[in-house]
Amino acid sequence: MTLSTPRSVIVIGAGPAGLTAAYRLSLQGHRVTVVNQSPALGEHLRREGDPPLAILGCHHATWSLLCSLGVTPLPTTFHDASLEFLLPNGRLARYPTNRLPAPFHQLITIGRFAALTWGERWRLLSWLEQLWEGSLQLAADLEHRTAQDWLESLGHRQSTIQTVWHPLAQWLTGNDLRGLSADAFVTAAKPIFLSGGADNRICVPRQPWHHMYIQPVADRLQQAGATLLLGTRATQFHFEQERITGVRVQDGRILQAEWYITAVAHHQLTPLLPERWLTRYAYFQQIEELTTTPNTVIQVRTAQTVHAPRHIMMGTGPFPWMVCKPSEADKSLVAVLTMPPDRSTIDTQEQVSALLKSLALLQPDSQLTSFRQHEVAHAVLGLQPGTKARRPIQLSPIPNLLLAGAWTDTGWPAILESAIISGERCAEIINGRKPV
């Protein structure tokens, strides 16, 4: 639908959420201005050494956006990545894959999943069968109990929780099972264990995200006449009678539009808002209650040649998961690991080397060819019990202010899919369509 009277829209933030909203609105003929503090669009998706973003088959909003940019889910465009679990005895158990529909998919894959004992596989399959048949419903209190407590109530051993479910939760949500709500864990794990085979496909792009996503969006924005104000920081909203009338930027200018979309992190949003809104509206007060935790991201390279990505879950040691992928230049190994703050260590490089050697990803007499470690202050959105109600919907109580970002309420953890869904919903609201 193209509106007869194009509207002016200011999008603050040019991450995935902001770029998605700006792109969709530009296609509909709206006058879009993008204000971004960084001098580069999608800065955190540009470097090969950063965590390679995997797309699951169930990330339908992401696939739809990529397809609209001419990117198709073909083997020439994406690697199929494996999901493996490092067992206490040092052996790797690969999660089986197939393309069968549910429930045959779960019967085959879980039945062959060697990281679980036969008894645990049988109990899990029996539980799933009751869900399929409708004789059992997921507990209504999942949002008010931790994933650890819920898994224990299902009879999972502590060793299995530590080996399988804990690293999986860290990879899918960034949260520890002991603090993660059971509802958030089920939501994140459902595509892998409760859906058809196509939904749990793990795809890693062969090309840089800059080439596949950021640059095509930037090109289309420029073709549509959008204004890109890069290296420009928004400092404060101006308002009259509970409606935004402009946004001040760092050089003192006041930019004006009919609609405003904030696509920044929640801790960057609240400084833009008038104090009276923060105290008057529960919507904004709940945003202030959201929490984040830092993370250490480690990127290493070795001379080892690899041909396909691997996602390796680890229940012990400082690194809960690791992604290995072929370098875009010469197919040498690029490995990305994360380290939560409660597992920090002073000999990180030595531990990474030892881990890669134990997995035959680094020769015993070889060294890492590069090592980079950096801290991310607000890396992970906390998904503790009760957080679901505090994540805001995109439509705020201010009539011309919309919120986009992976941290908003989309039904997903704070991942790429969530960011894109939020941007799509903001565009739908401005286009006059009720968001799904």
Side-chain angles (χ1 to χ4, degrees):
M1 178 181 71
T2 302
L3 297 176
S4 57
T5 304
R7 296 173 178 175
S8 57
V9 184
I10 292 176
V11 179
I12 302 173
L19 286 177
T20 298
Y23 168 65
R24 293 301 191 191
L25 290 168
S26 294
L27 291 181
Q28 297 295 327
H30 299 293
R31 300 187 300 275
V32 176
T33 298
V34 178
V35 179
N36 192 49
Q37 182 172 345
S38 169
L41 295 173
E43 181 180 21
H44 299 298
L45 297 179
R46 286 179 171 270
R47 298 169 295 199
E48 181 189 15
D50 284 341
L53 289 171
I55 310 175
L56 296 183
C58 59
H59 292 165
H60 301 301
T62 302
W63 285 116
S64 176
L65 179 63
L66 290 176
C67 288
S68 74
L69 297 171
V71 179
T72 53
L74 298 175
T76 54
T77 313
F78 289 89
H79 292 282
D80 272 350
S82 63
L83 178 62
E84 303 168 61
F85 294 81
L86 183 60
L87 304 183
N89 61 8
R91 186 170 61 89
L92 284 169
R94 181 168 179 167
Y95 186 68
T97 59
N98 63 66
R99 299 300 175 87
L100 296 173
F104 302 107
H105 165 75
Q106 289 88 351
L107 179 64
I108 298 297
T109 54
I110 294 175
R112 295 163 51 207
F113 186 30
L116 301 177
T117 66
W118 280 109
E120 287 169 326
R121 289 180 235 178
W122 176 256
R123 285 195 298 273
L124 182 56
L125 286 170
S126 298
W127 180 73
L128 291 174
E129 181 182 15
Q130 293 178 70
L131 287 178
W132 297 325
E133 294 176 346
S135 60
L136 177 68
Q137 300 292 326
L138 286 172
D141 65 343
L142 291 184
E143 176 56 20
H144 302 290
R145 58 195 301 193
T146 67
Q148 173 98 12
D149 172 67
W150 179 67
L151 288 168
E152 290 174 349
S153 73
L154 296 179
H156 289 278
R157 299 178 307 160
Q158 285 298 325
S159 59
T160 300
I161 292 174
Q162 184 65 27
T163 301
V164 176
W165 305 120
H166 176 72
L168 191 68
Q170 287 279 2
W171 173 53
L172 292 172
T173 73
N175 286 250
D176 190 292
L177 277 178
R178 294 167 294 184
L180 177 67
S181 80
D183 180 83
F185 177 69
V186 170
T187 299
K190 181 179 178 180
I192 294 178
F193 294 98
L194 301 180
S195 302
D199 277 354
N200 76 350
R201 181 185 176 200
I202 304 172
C203 303
V204 173
R206 293 178 181 269
Q207 296 181 346
W209 277 95
H210 172 65
H211 294 162
M212 298 179 62
Y213 171 54
I214 301 170
Q215 195 57 52
V217 169
D219 291 343
R220 283 162 172 76
L221 289 175
Q222 291 177 340
Q223 292 167 8
T227 301
L228 303 180
L229 300 180
L230 305 182
T232 303
R233 181 170 60 89
T235 60
Q236 185 71 48
F237 281 126
H238 287 232
F239 70 98
E240 290 181 5
Q241 298 179 347
E242 308 304 300
R243 187 178 182 88
I244 295 177
T245 58
V247 57
R248 183 182 295 274
V249 295
Q250 62 193 43
D251 62 6
R253 287 180 295 163
I254 297 178
L255 309 178
Q256 294 182 314
E258 297 171 83
W259 285 90
Y260 299 82
I261 299 175
T262 61
V264 297
H266 64 88
H267 61 275
Q268 296 173 318
L269 167 64
T270 49
L272 299 174
L273 301 173
E275 183 65 29
R276 61 179 291 179
W277 291 357
L278 297 175
T279 57
R280 177 176 178 180
Y281 294 107
Y283 177 93
F284 295 122
Q285 293 170 10
Q286 291 174 347
I287 293 174
E288 291 189 298
E289 296 173 3
L290 295 175
T291 62
T292 58
T293 55
N295 234 343
T296 300
V297 179
I298 301 145
Q299 298 103 8
V300 301
R301 293 173 181 264
T302 75
Q304 186 93 5
T305 300
V306 293
H307 299 286
R310 301 169 63 186
H311 289 66
I312 302 176
M313 308 290 109
M314 296 166 287
T316 59
F319 318 113
W321 59 266
M322 173 175 64
V323 177
C324 304
K325 66 182 286 274
S327 167
E328 295 151 8
D330 57 8
K331 306 304 178 186
S332 61
L333 173 71
V334 177
V336 180
L337 308 91
T338 64
M339 185 166 59
D342 61 348
R343 296 193 183 188
S344 60
T345 176
I346 59 175
D347 55 349
T348 306
Q349 187 166 346
E350 294 179 11
Q351 293 216 29
V352 171
S353 295
L355 174 63
L356 293 178
K357 289 176 180 178
S358 70
L359 296 172
L361 295 171
L362 180 65
Q363 296 300 322
D365 56 349
S366 300
Q367 301 294 324
L368 301 175
T369 56
S370 73
F371 178 90
R372 184 165 70 94
Q373 175 177 329
H374 68 278
E375 311 296 324
V376 183
H378 298 278
V380 176
L381 176 67
L383 297 175
Q384 304 91 342
T387 299
K388 186 176 182 178
R390 293 193 288 271
R391 294 177 69 180
I393 61 173
Q394 287 70 47
L395 186 62
S396 83
I398 307 306
N400 60 341
L401 174 63
L402 304 177
L403 272 57
W407 55 276
T408 61
D409 181 10
T410 63
W412 288 89
I415 58 175
L416 179 64
E417 175 75 357
S418 181
I420 290 174
I421 288 174
S422 71
E424 299 276 8
R425 289 181 178 176
C426 288
E428 290 174 354
I429 292 170
I430 293 176
N431 283 329
R433 289 157 41 197
K434 185 178 179 180
V436 178

